[in-house]
Amino acid sequence: MAVKSAITMVIPSPIPTSQNLSGDSFIGQAVPAAHLSPKYQFKPMATLMHQDGGNDGSEDYPGPLGNNTNVATAVVPLKVFLWDKEGNMIAGFAEQTSSSVLFGLAFVDKNTLEIQSNWTAPPNQTLNLAYMELTLEDDMVVVSSKQGQIYVLQSSCKNNEPILTLIRSINLTSILKPSELLLNSMFDDSGNIWFTTGGLLKQTAQAPGDPEQNSTTIGYIEPCGTIHSMHIPNQMIENGMAVNDNTIYLVTGPSGADDHAEAIGYMYALTSGSENSITTVWKTTYSAGDGRKPGAFARGSGSTPTLLHDQYVVITDNANNQINLLIYHQNATANQIVCSVPIFQPGAGNNDVGTLAHLDDDTYGIVVMNNYNAPPLYSGGDINGPFNNLSVMAAETIRVDVKADGSGCHVAWDRPVRIQSVPVLSTQTGLVYGYTQDAELAVLGLYEWYVAALDWKTGKLVWEIRTGAGGSFNDNYLPGSLGPDGTFYQGVLDGVVMVRDGKGA
């Protein structure tokens, strides 16, 4: 059923700055659009935090070019933004009340961010908003809760009003082990809902995060309701899944008895079997190193798998000293790995936000952000505290090129750019949109935040526009999103930032 919650349904007010402004409001210059080829369409067609089921981070919507660009902000509890096939915004929200946090989904006016209608999860359920999925062929949203529930909602209009209607609720608590938390849920192209347990660990003892889990449960639910599952001891999933057609790609990291020096993690390709059992298409190991890198969430790979069309799948490992970008064949082969590319500076590299990928002519470009020594998530207290200081994090964003025929892999460019959140590539402009900070001011305890645009082909930071000052504008690892009209949306601690080119641009 559709539910009206306690969440406020009024036009929101702008986000107030929590520190005085002192830096430049705009840096760089406007650029012309550099069109890339359209994005690859994975099956089923869907939209997620990483833009699609293949997690390639690209979008065929335009984005701002730096022409008369303006910033608008809104105090709303929206965290993740998805777009249906008509261009409507459906967002996940987490609203703090006097006694708890309400989680849910909402139809949102993309211009004002006014909430038009919403569905709220039961008060004892913590939704995994980062991994919710909206299918584009039938406008269904699937989202899981840490407590073991999967919810499927239908997006539709009634009396010209958008609504979200709960059509299916699946209880997996009897399938999961007592210590496990449900993490992911995604449809495959046969209508099965795949799920995994796991979580995001604490970066520090004080930071929020999930407990370590010494086993992982993976499975799927048939359209008729039959549940199939498998348990993996001493491994934990710390990222999302990738799906194309009926094959699922996921990566685990060591936990329990497997968590030791020079540990290994596993990369899996799974599908439903001939009798609807879980079939392992292939499985291989990767280096998980001695432990977590400074500032990292993940014990093993910090990368949600990224699919390169229907050819390759990409993750980063957690090797000691210098991590590697690993490129595998999607189909089972005698030699599963295509190539391994050392990335980032030795002793100062970590990836916790996945990768972006796009095919240029005969070459896949893969962009990776360095999160080494990243500051922790906000855990309460002083909104302008040191958790805002990105200057302590490694300043490095790179692009690795992989020939489509598998004949070569190399680092194409390496730029001193800090991005801790999940960025997005526009194929209409050829720009990567991310969120960054004035590092010189941050050293002084002054935190000014910017939306940054990087040239996809060269890595050049072409322009930055200031969004605000202080911890209220910290992205807190929330993802960015592009809307159909070319607006870039970024969730921050106190609401949402919107950046778009001005009229006449």
Side-chain angles (χ1 to χ4, degrees), residues 254 258-265 286-291 299 318-321:
D258 286 351
D259 190 357
H260 49 71
E262 297 293 344
I264 60 172
Y286 71 89
S287 174
D290 291 347
R299 168 62 183 88
N318 189 41
N320 292 332
N321 189 40

Side-chain angles (χ1 to χ4, degrees), residues 163-225:
I163 59 170
L164 289 161
T165 305
L166 181 65
I167 61 172
R168 193 176 179 190
S169 180
I170 305 162
N171 186 337
L172 295 177
T173 54
S174 63
I175 302 296
L176 310 183
K177 292 185 178 298
S179 62
E180 294 175 345
L181 302 177
L182 195 58
L183 181 64
N184 293 298
S185 54
M186 289 180 69
F187 283 100
D188 69 14
D189 205 39
S190 295
N192 300 311
I193 301 174
W194 286 79
F195 62 87
T196 71
T197 64
L200 300 179
L201 300 175
K202 297 182 178 182
Q203 293 166 290
T204 67
Q206 294 76 33
D210 296 319
E212 182 176 341
Q213 297 154 57
N214 293 336
S215 64
T216 288
T217 297
I218 302 166
Y220 69 92
I221 306 130
E222 296 181 54
C224 66

Side-chain angles (χ1 to χ4, degrees), residues 13 50 54 164 180 208 210 255 269 449 468 485:
S13 59
H50 292 291
L164 289 161
E180 294 175 345
D210 296 319
S255 65
W449 301 88
D485 65 351

Side-chain angles (χ1 to χ4, degrees), residues 83-152:
W83 303 89
D84 69 15
K85 57 180 179 289
E86 287 81 30
N88 300 307
M89 179 192 284
I90 297 176
F93 66 81
E95 184 178 45
Q96 181 70 53
T97 69
S98 59
S99 59
S100 63
V101 179
L102 290 176
F103 290 85
L105 308 174
F107 266 105
V108 181
D109 184 297
K110 61 189 177 187
N111 295 310
T112 66
L113 296 187
E114 177 185 4
I115 293 173
Q116 299 167 316
S117 66
N118 64 97
W119 168 85
T120 302
N124 60 342
Q125 299 295 307
T126 304
L127 297 185
N128 294 309
L129 297 176
Y131 297 119
M132 67 182 189
E133 176 187 45
L134 169 61
T135 61
L136 296 178
E137 292 184 359
D138 47 20
D139 287 335
M140 288 197 300
V141 182
V142 59
V143 62
S144 63
S145 74
K146 291 183 180 183
Q147 292 77 18
Q149 306 291 324
I150 292 179
Y151 302 101
V152 181

Side-chain angles (χ1 to χ4, degrees), residues 322-323 325 340-345 366 368 396-402 408-415:
Q322 188 169 22
I323 71 169
L325 186 72
S340 173
V341 181
I343 57 173
F344 306 140
Q345 296 302 310
I366 305 159
V368 196
E396 196 170 11
T397 297
I398 71 166
R399 171 171 158 166
V400 173
D401 282 358
V402 178
C409 309
H410 69 278
V411 175
W413 50 254
D414 187 334
R415 296 288 187 175

Side-chain angles (χ1 to χ4, degrees), residues 229-251:
S229 63
M230 58 185 280
H231 297 283
I232 303 173
N234 298 312
Q235 290 282 308
M236 178 177 172
I237 290 178
E238 303 167 280
N239 301 282
M241 298 182 286
V243 178
N244 192 24
D245 199 3
N246 292 309
T247 305
I248 314 301
Y249 301 88
L250 52 88
V251 59

